[in-house]
Structures are given as structure tokens and as C-alpha cells.
């Protein structure tokens, strides 16, 4: 075979391959440049500008920046700038209305599929989950629920949400148990204090009742003694006119007319209520002495105090017995009036 023909064929084949390889290299270079300028570079500028912040940097509570006046009217670039600033200020999920997640989500509302916002949310999600977990541990449950809801808007299917929700529920139940236990302790302490107060009041009441009974018994004994003394004085007082009348009858020796003579005196009973209240007084009564010597129609004329000793006086006088008055030797009914004195000493 002619070697000149073979060499020519080889040079023609190499000439055909070289343009195709160059075309492939050019396409790859163009795609790489487009990716750099359209995706990678803008994202890096947002994440690493100024303070050098990065979405994977652990977020700690930062300063509370003033939220934008009208988020809904902001452009995509303004929202992305606010999101970048929030990341740099470590406001990933809080405060409400002024944090990076809400700004990125607002970008996606205006432009679904925005690569910068989507990448930022994906990269910051683990850090946001850590922030939410810290909030749960601090037992700020309402704020933790808001942060979890915000994470769910960014990535609804992320399994970390299930873990966070379970932990939030467990911490809430734990706090409820602790609060219930504390309430039970307080209630038991209150019941113990109430029982102690009731026992003390009952003991004081029993002591007061015992003292009152002892005082009442003492006064009753004093009243009985005073009643006996009063009855003795009354007998002596009432026996004097009877003895005088008897002497007059004997002196008249045969006079057929004389007044009634008390032959049986019944002492009045001192009312218990008056003894306990340490009351004294008198009752003036009028009554009829029948021809048989009995007392009838006893009436209270006056008393001091009223209605305290009336009954005792009437009962006592009704049981008195007289030698009836006589006129010309015949027993006759007569009227009489007495004052019954009630005195403790």
C-alpha cells in the first residue's frame, strides 16, 4: 500500500476530530462561567459579605434590628439584602417579621424557584433547627412553635421537624407535670395550714366553753347561797308580823276578827339565766288569800327588770299557805301585796 495515502488519511481524520473537541470544551467553559456568575458568585456575595458571615455558622441571639417598614413592597434584591443582613446579625429565625428565613421565604413567594433563596434556606435549615431546639430548652414554647412553623415552610418534609415537634410536646408535658406537682404541694400546704388553724380554733373554743361552764357553776353556787340567805331573811322578816299578829290575837283573847297570817313560806327559785348574766332585781305581786288559806289570782304589779323574775315570784307566792283572815269568827277572803327580792349576794 502506498504510505503517502495512509499518511494523508490520518491527517484528514485528525482534522475532523479537533473541531468537535474544541466545541465540547467551549460549551463546558460557557456553562461553568454561567454557573459562576449566575448562581455561585451571587450566593457567596450574600453569605460572605462584610462581616464574613456564613449560613452554616452557629447562630446566637443577636441584636434586635428595626424591621423594614413595608416588606410586601420590597423588591427581590431588597429582600435578599435584608436576608443577608439578618444572617450577618445572627437573626436567622427571630425576631418575628425581621429574620432571614422570613425574608428568603418572601423572595420565594415573589419568585418561586429563586436559586439564591432556595440554597440559603437549605443550607441554613440545620442551624435554624438548632436555634429552635435551644428555644425549646429555654421553655419559650410559643416562640419555639413559631420557629418550627417557619422551618416547616422552608422544608415541610424534613425529618428534623418531627424530632423538634416531639421534643416540644415532651417539654410542654414535662412543664405541665411540674406545674401540677407544684400546685399539689401548694394545695397540700394550704390544707395543712387550714387544718392547723381549725384545730387551734377548736381547742380555743373548747377551752372557752370549759371556762364558761366553770364560771356558770361558780355563779350558780353563789346564787344558791344567796338564795338561801335571802330566804332566811325573808322568813325572819315575814315571821315578825305573824308573831305580832299572834300576840295580838292572844292579847285580845277571844277576838273573833283578825287578818291573815302566813304559816308556810316557799322561797322563789333564782332563774338560771339571771344567775349566768349576774342579774338582780325584785318583783311586786298582788294576790288573794282564800277563806281556806290558799293563795289565788297572783298578779305581777311591777318588776325590775321586767319579765326576768316574774315567773319565779308568781310560782313561789302561789304555794304560800295562810291562816285566813276572819270576821266575826268566820274565815273571809282578803287581798295582800308583797315585794319579792332577788339578790345574788
Amino acid at each position: 500500500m502506498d504510505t503517502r495515502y495512509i499518511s494523508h488519511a490520518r491527517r484528514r481524520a485528525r482534522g475532523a476530530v479537533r473541531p468537535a473537541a474544541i466545541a465540547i470544551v467551549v460549551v463546558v467553559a460557557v456553562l461553568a462561567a454561567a454557573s459562576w456568575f449566575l448562581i455561585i458568585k451571587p450566593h457567596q456575595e450574600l453569605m460572605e459579605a462584610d462581616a464574613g458571615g456564613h449560613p452554616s455558622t452557629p447562630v446566637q441571639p443577636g441584636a434586635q434590628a428595626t424591621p423594614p417598614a413595608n416588606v410586601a413592597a420590597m423588591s427581590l434584591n431588597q429582600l435578599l439584602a435584608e436576608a443577608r443582613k439578618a444572617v450577618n446579625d445572627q437573626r436567622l429565625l427571630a425576631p418575628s417579621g425581621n429574620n432571614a428565613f422570613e425574608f428568603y421565604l418572601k423572595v420565594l413567594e415573589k419568585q418561586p424557584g429563586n436559586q439564591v433563596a432556595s440554597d440559603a434556606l437549605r443550607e441554613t435549615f440545620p442551624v435554624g433547627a438548632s436555634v429552635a431546639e435551644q428555644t425549646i430548652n429555654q421553655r419559650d414554647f410559643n416562640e419555639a412553635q413559631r420557629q418550627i412553623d417557619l422551618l416547616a415552610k422552608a422544608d415541610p418534609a424534613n425529618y428534623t421537624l418531627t424530632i423538634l415537634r416531639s421534643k416540644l410536646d415532651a417539654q410542654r408535658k414535662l412543664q405541665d407535670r411540674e406545674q401540677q406537682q407544684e400546685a399539689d404541694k401548694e394545695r397540700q400546704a394550704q390544707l395543712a395550714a387550714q387544718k392547723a388553724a381549725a384545730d387551734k380554733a377548736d381547742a380555743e373554743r373548747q377551752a372557752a366553753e370549759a371556762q364558761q361552764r366553770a364560771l356558770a357553776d361558780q355563779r350558780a353556787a353563789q346564787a344558791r347561797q344567796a338564795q338561801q340567805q335571802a330566804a332566811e331573811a325573808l322568813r325572819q322578816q315575814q315571821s315578825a308580823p305573824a308573831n305580832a299578829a299572834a300576840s295580838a290575837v292572844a292579847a285580845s283573847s277571844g277576838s273573833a276578827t283578825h287578818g291573815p297570817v302566813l304559816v308556810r313560806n316557799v322561797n322563789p327559785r333564782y332563774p338560771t339565766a339571771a344567775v349566768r348574766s349576774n342579774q338582780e332585781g325584785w318583783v311586786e305581786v298582788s294576790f288573794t288569800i282564800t277563806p281556806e288559806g290558799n293563795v289565788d289570782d297572783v298578779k305581777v304589779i311591777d318588776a325590775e327588770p321586767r319579765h326576768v323574775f316574774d315567773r319565779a315570784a308568781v310560782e313561789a307566792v302561789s304555794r304560800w299557805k295562810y291562816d285566813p283572815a276572819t270576821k266575826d269568827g268566820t274565815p273571809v277572803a282578803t287581798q295582800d301585796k308583797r315585794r319579792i327580792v332577788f339578790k345574788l349576794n
Side-chain angles (χ1 to χ4, degrees), residues 205-221:
R205 179 181 57 79
Q206 292 179 358
E209 290 178 354
Q211 184 177 4
Q212 290 178 355
R213 286 195 297 269
L215 183 60
D217 293 341
Q218 181 180 2
R219 288 178 177 176

Side-chain angles (χ1 to χ4, degrees), residues 225-273:
Q225 183 179 1
Q227 189 175 5
Q228 292 174 357
Q229 294 175 353
E232 182 64 25
L234 183 62
R235 278 197 297 271
Q236 293 177 358
Q237 179 183 0
Q238 292 176 347
S239 64
N243 293 335
S247 298
V249 171
S252 63
S253 61
S255 174
T257 301
H258 64 80
V261 178
L262 180 64
V263 295
R264 189 182 70 185
N265 176 43
V266 178
N267 295 325
R269 181 183 59 83
Y270 212 103
T272 303

Side-chain angles (χ1 to χ4, degrees), residues 47 68 94 101 114 186 190 205 281:
M47 297 294 102
F101 258 65
N114 183 281
E186 291 180 0
Q190 291 176 355
R205 179 181 57 79

Side-chain angles (χ1 to χ4, degrees), residues 124-237:
T124 56
F125 190 95
V127 184
S130 177
V131 172
E133 185 176 10
Q134 292 176 8
T135 307
I136 294 172
N137 293 335
Q138 295 169 359
R139 293 195 171 183
D140 189 355
F141 298 142
N142 291 334
E143 175 63 14
Q145 185 63 61
R146 186 191 68 80
Q147 294 178 2
I148 292 173
D149 293 341
L150 197 57
L151 291 170
K153 291 180 181 179
D155 189 358
N158 196 300
Y159 72 96
T160 307
L161 295 172
T162 303
I163 298 174
L164 290 174
R165 287 165 179 157
S166 299
K167 186 168 185 178
L168 176 61
D169 183 62
Q171 287 293 326
R172 279 175 169 165
K173 290 180 179 178
L174 177 60
Q175 186 183 62
D176 291 342
R177 286 196 300 270
E178 291 175 351
Q179 291 176 349
Q180 184 62 40
Q181 290 173 357
E182 188 65 25
D184 291 341
K185 289 180 180 178
E186 291 180 0
R187 184 166 56 253
Q188 291 174 0
Q190 291 176 355
L191 292 175
Q194 291 174 358
K195 186 177 184 301
D199 293 342
K200 181 179 179 182
D202 187 59
E204 291 176 352
R205 179 181 57 79
Q206 292 179 358
E209 290 178 354
Q211 184 177 4
Q212 290 178 355
R213 286 195 297 269
L215 183 60
D217 293 341
Q218 181 180 2
R219 288 178 177 176
Q222 293 176 352
R224 287 193 296 270
Q225 183 179 1
Q227 189 175 5
Q228 292 174 357
Q229 294 175 353
E232 182 64 25
L234 183 62
R235 278 197 297 271
Q236 293 177 358
Q237 179 183 0

